[in-house]
Amino acid sequence: MDVAICTNVWMLHMATSKRPPSSTFLISSFSRGKPKASCLSTKTEPSPNQYSAISSSDQNPTRRSGNYQPTMWDFEYIQSIHNDYAGEKYMKRFNELKEEMKKMIMAEGSQELEKLELIDNLQRFGVSYHFKHEIMQILSNINQHTSATRDSLYVTDLKFRLLREHGFHISQDILYDFKDEQGNLKQSLCKDTKGLLQLYEASLLFDETESTFLECANKFAMSHLQNYYLKNKYNRSNQDNPTVALVGHALKLPLYWMMLRVETSWYLNIYENISNANPLLLELAKLDFNIVQATHQEDLKILSRWWKSTRLAEKLPFSRDRLVEALFFAVGIIFEPQHSYCRRTLTKVIAFVAVIDDIYDAYGTPDELEVFTNAIERWEAEAMEQLPDYMKVCYLELFNTTNEIVYEVLNEKGINILPYLIKSICANLTYKKQGGTTMDIRQLWKNTWIMHGSQLQFLWKN
């Protein structure tokens, strides 16, 4: 069965504010530049010193605004998204492919390189979570026999990277065979493009005790890969050469830093042009991609209804309405379909981070922020009575959503996380003044919620 990648996906084209048609967005259309510190908004946001004052009377404080644009995601459109891959329609075929792939992974007589490349492809396609046990069994066996083998640069670095990514302790000494008498990497490696590409990816997986050698290896590989790419990228005969595309892609953003779902979308298109592409793997990867995407779309629809019910975007128009971007962020952390609740919880956390960040950064006055912080410390519904009206809306939604999350964890895991959560939040939200200047607590707030969002992810997955 030939399965095409579904393109009427859960995010819409970001180049227009018009209501988009149902098939305008491709995950691969995202920019792959180096990651930035903040990615909640897809538009260029003004820096803090660019805030414009909102006119006010003498009785009202002067407030600032980030001049954020309204969300470009239409609620009705999101709710109307339909994906044929939702539900059980394609699961029978998918399970058949998965069982065939398990047999292929564990087939006896396969060469070590074949197994390593298969594992690497499973990871890049984002389907390795279906075969965790089989992958660990193979890598464990390879790790036990690593010291006795002398392989090419390509095989050695691929093995080194995969073993380290899965938590095996493998020494960088296995790379020393490729050094010359002066301790530098051999110049004969310069034309081994596939080997250099693996060396470049592997060299990022170093610890503090071995950074010198692997940093030198990274610079060596990057330099020669850049030369290769510049020589070949404009050559028409290389337009369909997957090696050129892989090198250019890695130089823009290495695998170690890449968001997996974006990588999967890109790699699916490249893999089809590889001469020895595995048709079983390709069909499995496409089908899984579409099924997982359908799950993410359903998450978005559920979250969109929740976000609308909070009325935060309506009641707090000065803040960022960035729910879809928040979900995209959460997908980057945990994309597996079975973790929908955790993903939705993280999205809620990130959405609140954006709103409260704007309150502390721009809109709120020092006195209001102090009262808001005290209300968080009390963690009582009655505490909001002392807050201005716009803060009451935010506080009550934060209070209810947090308690709902606490209840779900208590119900499912038997653990009451509320005391620890509130204690940590309060510690980071203590309002301080120093030298007459209010200290910026926005980053503390972000760190607290992101930290607890990560803890919830770990708790829910284990």
Side-chain angles (χ1 to χ4, degrees):
M1 180 175 66
D2 186 15
V3 182
I5 303 178
C6 180
T7 57
N8 56 329
V9 298
W10 58 273
M11 293 183 68
L12 318 178
H13 200 287
M14 291 190 174
T16 176
S17 60
K18 298 179 181 179
R19 182 184 175 115
S22 61
S23 59
T24 54
F25 174 76
L26 283 168
I27 287 185
S28 57
S29 66
F30 273 92
S31 169
R32 295 185 183 85
K34 291 188 176 181
K36 298 179 180 179
S38 176
C39 54
L40 283 174
S41 171
T42 58
K43 293 183 177 294
T44 302
E45 307 290 9
S47 58
N49 61 353
Q50 292 176 306
Y51 286 111
S52 59
I54 297 177
S55 59
S56 61
S57 64
D58 295 336
Q59 289 78 21
N60 296 321
T62 299
R63 299 191 184 277
R64 298 180 299 167
S65 168
N67 295 325
Y68 299 118
Q69 296 299 312
T71 181
M72 62 181 69
W73 315 114
D74 182 77
F75 173 80
E76 298 299 333
Y77 176 78
I78 289 174
Q79 296 303 314
S80 71
I81 292 175
H82 172 73
N83 194 321
D84 289 336
Y85 292 89
E88 300 296 320
K89 182 177 179 181
Y90 291 91
M91 290 308 299
K92 180 180 178 181
R93 176 57 179 165
F94 178 77
N95 289 328
E96 291 173 354
L97 292 170
K98 190 164 73 169
E99 290 304 314
E100 290 182 42
M101 182 55 62
K102 284 184 179 181
K103 294 177 182 178
M104 181 179 293
I105 295 172
M106 302 306 297
E108 296 182 4
S110 299
Q111 296 295 318
E112 180 180 277
L113 176 58
E114 293 177 355
K115 291 185 179 294
L116 289 170
E117 289 182 328
L118 180 57
I119 292 172
D120 187 34
N121 284 325
L122 289 170
Q123 290 189 172
R124 297 189 77 154
F125 281 136
V127 296
S128 59
Y129 68 98
H130 293 294
F131 312 102
K132 288 182 179 180
H133 175 73
E134 291 80 5
I135 289 173
M136 289 301 293
Q137 186 175 338
I138 291 171
L139 291 178
S140 179
N141 183 60
I142 290 175
N143 185 54
Q144 293 175 7
H145 300 89
T146 294
S147 59
T149 60
R150 295 177 64 87
D151 298 307
S152 67
L153 179 67
Y154 172 73
V155 175
T156 302
D157 286 314
L158 178 59
K159 182 192 308 182
F160 179 86
R161 175 170 66 83
L162 291 176
L163 287 173
R164 286 216 168 179
E165 285 176 348
H166 288 83
F168 291 94
H169 176 72
I170 178 171
S171 174
Q172 64 177 348
D173 294 354
I174 68 167
L175 304 176
Y176 287 173
D177 288 339
F178 304 102
K179 296 198 298 184
D180 58 24
E181 295 178 355
Q182 287 74 40
N184 302 315
L185 288 164
K186 297 176 181 178
Q187 289 300 312
S188 60
L189 303 173
C190 296
K191 295 183 178 180
D192 183 3
T193 305
K194 288 180 64 178
L196 288 171
L197 185 55
Q198 288 302 326
L199 176 63
Y200 174 69
E201 297 284 6
S203 63
L204 296 170
L205 303 177
F206 62 81
D207 61 37
E208 295 179 356
T209 63
E210 56 191 15
S211 59
T212 302
F213 170 71
L214 287 177
E215 281 183 353
C216 292
N218 179 268
K219 292 178 181 178
F220 176 88
M222 181 186 294
S223 175
H224 292 292
L225 288 173
Q226 286 174 338
N227 291 335
Y228 169 84
Y229 185 64
L230 290 174
K231 290 178 181 178
N232 291 276
K233 69 174 181 177
Y234 296 120
N235 190 332
R236 291 185 178 181
S237 62
N238 289 322
Q239 286 182 348
D240 295 326
N241 186 342
T243 302
V244 176
L246 287 166
V247 169
H249 186 63
L251 290 173
K252 289 180 181 178
L253 201 63
L255 283 174
Y256 190 59
W257 297 341
M258 176 59 72
M259 178 178 172
L260 185 55
R261 298 315 290 171
V262 177
E263 173 66 17
T264 298
S265 176
W266 179 86
Y267 193 61
L268 278 167
N269 295 321
I270 293 298
Y271 188 77
E272 290 180 313
N273 295 321
I274 296 177
S275 58
N276 61 342
N278 184 327
L280 173 63
L281 175 58
L282 187 60
E283 184 181 356
L284 173 70
K286 287 183 177 181
L287 193 52
D288 179 80
F289 184 91
N290 290 328
I291 292 172
V292 172
Q293 189 175 78
T295 303
H296 294 165
Q297 290 174 345
E298 193 60 32
D299 289 340
L300 177 58
K301 292 163 78 170
I302 295 170
L303 284 165
S304 182
R305 292 193 292 270
W306 164 78
W307 184 245
K308 186 176 182 180
S309 71
T310 67
R311 302 182 67 187
L312 287 175
E314 175 187 344
K315 296 292 186 180
L316 307 177
F318 61 85
S319 65
R320 284 166 289 182
D321 180 1
R322 298 294 183 261
L323 180 72
V324 179
E325 292 83 349
L327 175 57
F328 188 67
F329 189 101
V331 167
I333 298 174
I334 179 169
F335 74 89
E336 295 88 344
Q338 66 269 29
H339 298 307
S340 279
Y341 179 81
C342 181
R343 188 164 45 249
R344 295 197 299 268
T345 300
L346 284 173
T347 302
K348 293 178 182 180
V349 168
I350 297 166
F352 269 114
V353 166
V355 172
I356 297 176
D357 178 46
D358 293 332
I359 290 176
Y360 274 86
D361 185 42
Y363 198 77
T365 67
D367 290 340
E368 290 173 347
L369 298 181
E370 188 168 7
V371 174
F372 186 83
T373 304
N374 291 336
I376 295 291
E377 291 175 347
R378 290 177 58 188
W379 202 252
E380 299 172 353
E382 294 77 9
M384 72 177 187
E385 296 301 325
Q386 304 300 319
L387 298 173
D389 289 342
Y390 80 93
M391 279 188 169
K392 289 179 180 179
V393 175
C394 180
Y395 179 83
L396 187 58
E397 287 300 333
L398 176 66
F399 182 84
N400 290 338
T401 300
T402 302
N403 287 340
E404 179 185 341
I405 293 170
V406 169
Y407 170 77
E408 292 290 345
V409 173
L410 179 63
N411 189 43
E412 292 291 332
K413 303 294 182 178
I415 302 173
N416 180 16
I417 64 173
L418 182 60
Y420 310 101
L421 186 60
I422 298 305
K423 181 179 179 180
S424 182
I425 293 175
C426 291
N428 285 326
L429 284 182
T430 301
Y431 194 74
K432 299 179 181 179
K433 291 185 178 180
Q434 183 176 6
T437 303
T438 302
M439 296 182 65
D440 186 1
I441 65 172
R442 293 179 301 119
Q443 195 60 45
L444 291 173
W445 172 264
K446 289 180 182 177
N447 293 343
T448 299
W449 276 99
I450 294 299
M451 175 183 69
H452 284 290
S454 300
Q455 290 173 347
L456 284 170
Q457 171 195 348
F458 175 80
L459 181 63
W460 211 264
K461 290 181 70 175
N462 291 279

